[in-house]
Amino acid sequence: MVRIVLFIITNLSVMILFGSILSLLGFWSSTTLGLVRMAGIFGFGGAIISLFLSKFVALSAVDGVIINKASNDMENWLLEIIHKQANKLDIVAPQLAVYDSMDMNAFATGARRNAALIAVSTGLLKNMNQESIEAVIAHEMNHVASGDMITMTLIQGVVNTFVIFISRSLAKLISYWTSFMQDQDNEQFNTNDNQYGDVNSSLTYVIVSTLLEVLFGMFASVIVFWFSRHREFYADAGSAKLVGCRNMISALQELKCSYESKNNTNSIIATLYINSVKKNSVISDLFASHPSIDKRIEALQRGTYLNKSSYFF
């Protein structure tokens, strides 16, 4: 709750600041107020809808099966581990799902920490020992306990809102400027092309706002992915506290050698995986949802995040 209130207050404060600047410049109007509302609705709307549909989308994407009742010893053990870790983290035990895939992977999703889902691949269950599997589950459980799904949704909503608001505000200023220049030309040559001027102004607004939304959207993605990588380090540290640092490092080392499924590379839920496939380059690192496994292992060995018991971002 504190996290939600903090994000809402921050978002509103900065929006008011931008509105005040526009007011001082003489551009504050009912139209600008409408833009603020529209930016907030569309900025948060898509992110929130995605959050509430996350379970359905994720399960559909991997064709996962929810395990409500164990049918074998492995499923029974997995359910026991999830309930045991949930008790330690003081949360309601997430649902368990298993999906068929050769790669060793797992993910957590859900709109609320007490109504979450953890899914594991058959490749992970077949190729990892129990200590490493327990560490992977503990990593996902820490995502759930820390409310990472809603945190990332709020961050995405904030940046979406500002992308829409700032790009369209700048586009409006530019269209005003082009319209003003057009009027100056009309006065200089004693012509009256108001109709064409209005069309040009509207066209300028549409083109500029679209280009700016694409450009700012790319910068916004860098911010969102930075937060995402930050959360992975904390989830690794949380897992190390639950099952031991050595077991978490061992799990990461095994994930590093995992088979890379072509289906997962282009999956719409690739950012959820504990082991997200990515290329190695400076640019791709900026848009990576996960830090490299080598960096994650190094952070655990140094204890960088182990002494930070709580965090908001």
Side-chain angles (χ1 to χ4, degrees):
M1 181 59 69
V2 174
R3 187 175 357 222
I4 296 173
V5 172
L6 180 62
F7 266 81
I8 291 175
I9 291 175
T10 303
N11 191 41
L12 289 175
S13 298
V14 180
M15 293 290 281
I16 290 171
L17 175 62
F18 274 102
S20 299
I21 294 172
L22 287 175
S23 179
L24 291 173
L25 293 174
F27 293 104
W28 186 263
S29 65
S30 59
T31 304
T32 308
L33 283 171
L35 177 58
V36 171
R37 297 191 196 99
M38 185 273 290
I41 291 171
F42 283 94
F44 279 94
I48 291 173
I49 290 172
S50 297
L51 176 65
F52 280 100
L53 293 178
S54 59
K55 272 190 186 182
F56 172 78
V57 172
L59 283 175
S60 299
V62 299
D63 197 21
V65 177
I66 294 178
I67 309 299
N68 292 316
K69 186 176 181 181
S71 60
N72 54 53
D73 291 340
M74 174 59 77
E75 291 178 357
N76 185 62
W77 177 77
L78 288 172
L79 290 172
E80 287 182 356
I81 290 298
I82 287 176
H83 280 82
K84 181 177 73 174
Q85 292 184 2
N87 288 334
K88 289 183 179 180
L89 294 170
D90 194 26
I91 60 172
V92 174
Q95 290 178 294
L96 169 67
V98 176
Y99 64 96
D100 187 24
S101 179
M102 292 178 63
D103 71 317
M104 294 186 287
N105 235 319
F107 64 86
T109 189
R112 295 185 295 114
R113 55 180 278 169
N114 287 325
L117 168 79
I118 289 179
V120 295
S121 70
T122 53
L124 182 139
L125 298 178
K126 291 177 181 178
N127 298 302
M128 273 193 175
N129 58 50
Q130 288 192 341
E131 289 78 13
S132 294
I133 294 174
E134 189 173 355
V136 169
I137 292 175
H139 171 98
E140 300 303 336
M141 290 290 288
N142 272 274
H143 276 310
V144 174
S146 300
D148 285 347
M149 286 80 77
I150 190 168
T151 296
M152 293 308 300
T153 299
L154 289 170
I155 292 171
Q156 187 68 64
V158 168
V159 297
N160 287 348
T161 299
F162 285 115
V163 165
I164 295 172
F165 181 74
I166 296 174
S167 62
R168 299 203 177 192
S169 295
L170 290 176
K172 184 175 293 187
L173 292 174
I174 293 172
S175 67
Y176 281 151
W177 179 78
T178 56
S179 179
F180 173 77
M181 295 301 294
Q182 182 69 40
D183 290 341
Q184 293 293 102
D185 290 340
N186 289 340
E187 290 179 5
Q188 182 179 355
F189 295 102
N190 296 318
T191 59
N192 187 13
D193 293 330
N194 290 334
Q195 182 178 356
Y196 294 106
D198 291 341
V199 172
N200 290 335
S201 179
S202 299
L203 185 60
T204 299
Y205 175 79
V206 172
I207 294 174
V208 173
S209 64
T210 301
L211 292 175
L212 288 177
E213 282 187 25
V214 172
L215 178 62
F216 291 151
M218 292 179 62
F219 286 113
S221 296
V222 173
I223 297 172
V224 173
F225 284 128
W226 181 88
F227 275 105
S228 178
R229 294 192 297 273
H230 192 62
R231 310 298 286 184
E232 292 302 319
F233 285 123
Y234 274 109
D236 288 343
S239 175
K241 292 175 183 178
L242 277 179
V243 301
C245 193
R246 184 179 64 180
N247 287 339
M248 187 62 218
I249 291 175
S250 177
L252 288 172
Q253 289 171 336
E254 291 185 56
L255 288 173
K256 188 177 179 180
C257 302
S258 172
Y259 167 83
E260 293 185 357
S261 171
K262 293 182 179 179
N263 291 332
N264 287 337
T265 302
N266 298 316
S267 173
I268 58 175
I269 63 164
T271 57
L272 296 177
Y273 290 125
I274 186 174
N275 184 20
S276 183
V277 178
K278 68 181 186 68
K279 298 177 181 179
N280 294 318
S281 70
V282 175
I283 299 299
S284 64
D285 284 347
L286 289 175
F287 294 93
S289 60
H290 290 54
S292 68
I293 288 183
D294 287 336
K295 289 181 179 178
R296 293 165 67 177
I297 291 174
E298 182 182 356
L300 286 172
Q301 290 173 336
R302 291 185 175 183
T304 308
Y305 295 85
L306 290 172
N307 296 324
K308 301 177 182 180
S309 58
S310 64
Y311 56 97
F312 286 113
F313 306 106

